[in-house]
Amino acid sequence: MKKIISRESIGFFTISLTVFLVGADFPPPAGFWIIGLILLVFTLIQARFLGWLVPRIRRERTFRQTMLFYLTSALVLAAPFFVPIDTLTQRFRWIILSLIAGFLFGTFVWLVHWLMMTRYQNQWQEK
């Protein structure tokens, strides 16, 4: 299980950083490393969360905790982008888009792990 979580974390960090780089100016601004650092911290937190989630996903109701984690994370990651916006309407749009992205990503992560645990339950059980 640790091998899969570490691979997921590396993939998440790489894909997310690539998405941020594609959305940034070229070359990226001088402060772009801060986004990378925040993303790295989030990746480590997510790996810990997945370590908690995977063994429990078939035994407990974990969808709400997963949504809370990813919705909060989406707001924290998006905050540097919507805080400096002057108008309330534009800030509200950023918040809504961040929550939608967090919901979609959290649902995807939960569903993938639920399906994997359903299919490979005997191989992944805690010893």
Side-chain angles (χ1 to χ4, degrees), residues 27-101:
F32 190 80
W33 66 271
I34 294 171
I35 292 174
L37 184 64
I38 291 170
L39 193 57
L40 180 63
V41 169
F42 178 68
T43 301
L44 296 174
I45 293 169
Q46 177 178 284
R48 295 281 306 220
F49 177 75
L50 290 176
W52 172 87
L53 174 69
V54 171
R56 291 170 177 79
I57 200 163
R58 296 290 294 155
R59 296 188 315 241
E60 302 173 18
R61 294 181 179 202
T62 56
F63 187 75
R64 267 192 240 144
Q65 290 95 334
T66 304
M67 285 302 104
L68 180 64
F69 175 76
Y70 282 100
L71 291 173
T72 304
S73 301
L75 288 177
V76 169
L77 285 173
F81 301 105
F82 66 73
V83 168
I85 296 174
D86 293 333
T87 65
L88 188 59
T89 305
Q90 289 176 336
R91 189 176 299 159
F92 184 70
R93 285 183 194 150
W94 266 103
I95 292 171
I96 294 299
L97 287 174
S98 301
L99 290 174
I100 290 170

